Amino acid sequence: MNLKELKDKFESLYGAGEVRFFSAAGRVNLIGEHIDYCGGPVLPAALNLRCVVAARKRTDNIVRMAATTIDLTAELDINKLDSYRNLRWGSYQAGVAFVMKEAGFDIVGCDMLVDCTVPFGSGLSSSAAIEVATALCFSAFSAENGGKKAAKEELAVLSQMAENSYCGVNCGIMDQFASACGKKGNAILLNCATLEYEYAPMDFGDCELVVINSNKPHSLVDSKYNERRKECEIAFGLLKKRLPHITCLADVTSEELEKQANILSGKIYDRALHVVTECERVVRAVEAMKSGDIRLFGRLLNESHRSLRDNYEVTGKELDALTEAARSFDGCLGSRMTGGGFGGCTVSVVEKDKVKDFVRKVCADYKKETGYDAVCYETVISDGAFEITAV
Ligand code: GLA
């Protein structure tokens, strides 16, 4: 929906008057998968698939919410924010309001209309985009009332807290951070242990990034996400006894892991092996991108997928089929799943002049193999969260 349409829709729901617009991004992760919650480095980028929250303050304690893409609404009393954990729709926003109120923001009643173009279940973080856009909105209204205002990094942390403690999804910080702090044309190299970050210009020379949705829906709650986190904690606990200097699993090097292999049982070792080698791949991928070695970058994407498939077991037959179809195309330098896995999207690096053929061929092969219709998104790497001021 464009802003004019969004404003019209807002006014038809809530009446005429001033409307503000808060935008946050969906994200694609280039490399560094399933290591954010182990303190590893990740390399996500913000997308032009976004969530825009249109909003206006009210004079009472009620937050009313509606959406452009689904026919559901919710109403929250800001004095009872603890009681909306099981809404059919709106618990992400309720969680953000709850967490921010606890953190001392001046949460005020308002009307909101949520317009989210990040496809749900795509692995491109629609939930993070909704949380961060909502957090930005509450922060702006709080500041307007003379209360606290959050920096972008803080928006990310608050949103993650909402998802963890309110919505019960034990996600890491990567999605919310990319959604809030992304920068046009850049990936973010984020150290998830310290939250230090730098921008890495995304220049793939003659190649470009192609994001394809397998259309096999994924769900972090239903999937094995929390189980993997547990396995990593077990690995860390055992390794820490032998390697007291480590503060997180990402601190372990592959040489150290190899030497300690005998203390980890089969699956636990495999999970740790993924984490440790994926951390190393991120470092190499950033160097490859900086030095323009896109072939190496592509190979690292392939290795990442292989490790997610064999060691971490979070891919599934659809993502495997989609990435295999991609890799077998002459002109594709590398392909991997992106996000939580078990469905959702893949990311590939493809020679620019072959992208159209690539998409056609890969989608056809994939359909033949799995029966699913894949969809390709035009990916423009964009800014993270901001208020849209020129309407
Ligand atoms: C989901 C989570 C992230 C991250 C990825 C896997 O997107 O929300 O925190 O763990 O999975 O890299």
Side-chain angles (χ1 to χ4, degrees), residues 27 29 32-37 125 171-175 220 225 339-340:
R27 66 96 190 89
N29 186 24
E33 214 66 85
H34 280 282
I35 56 173
D36 59 347
Y37 49 81
S125 297
C171 66
I173 186 67
M174 172 172 75
D175 303 348
L220 290 183
Y225 191 87

Side-chain angles (χ1 to χ4, degrees), residues 301-321:
L301 296 191
N302 291 339
E303 281 176 30
S304 168
H305 188 87
R306 209 173 304 128
S307 176
L308 288 157
R309 184 191 63 198
D310 300 339
N311 300 325
Y312 219 63
E313 296 182 279
V314 291
T315 58
K317 73 173 193 304
E318 291 80 12
L319 290 170
D320 291 341

Side-chain angles (χ1 to χ4, degrees), residues 1 20 22 37 39 49 58 60 78 106-107 119 158 163 186 202 227-229 245 260 316 336 347 359 378:
M1 213 173 244
R20 291 172 72 174
F22 303 93
Y37 49 81
L49 297 165
R58 294 168 58 91
D60 59 14
I78 58 178
D106 187 0
I107 300 298
L158 291 162
E163 187 146 345
N186 284 260
M202 275 172 62
E227 188 182 304
R228 291 293 175 280
R229 282 199 69 148
H245 65 279
Q260 303 301 335
R336 59 181 288 276
V347 60
V359 173
E378 193 203 344

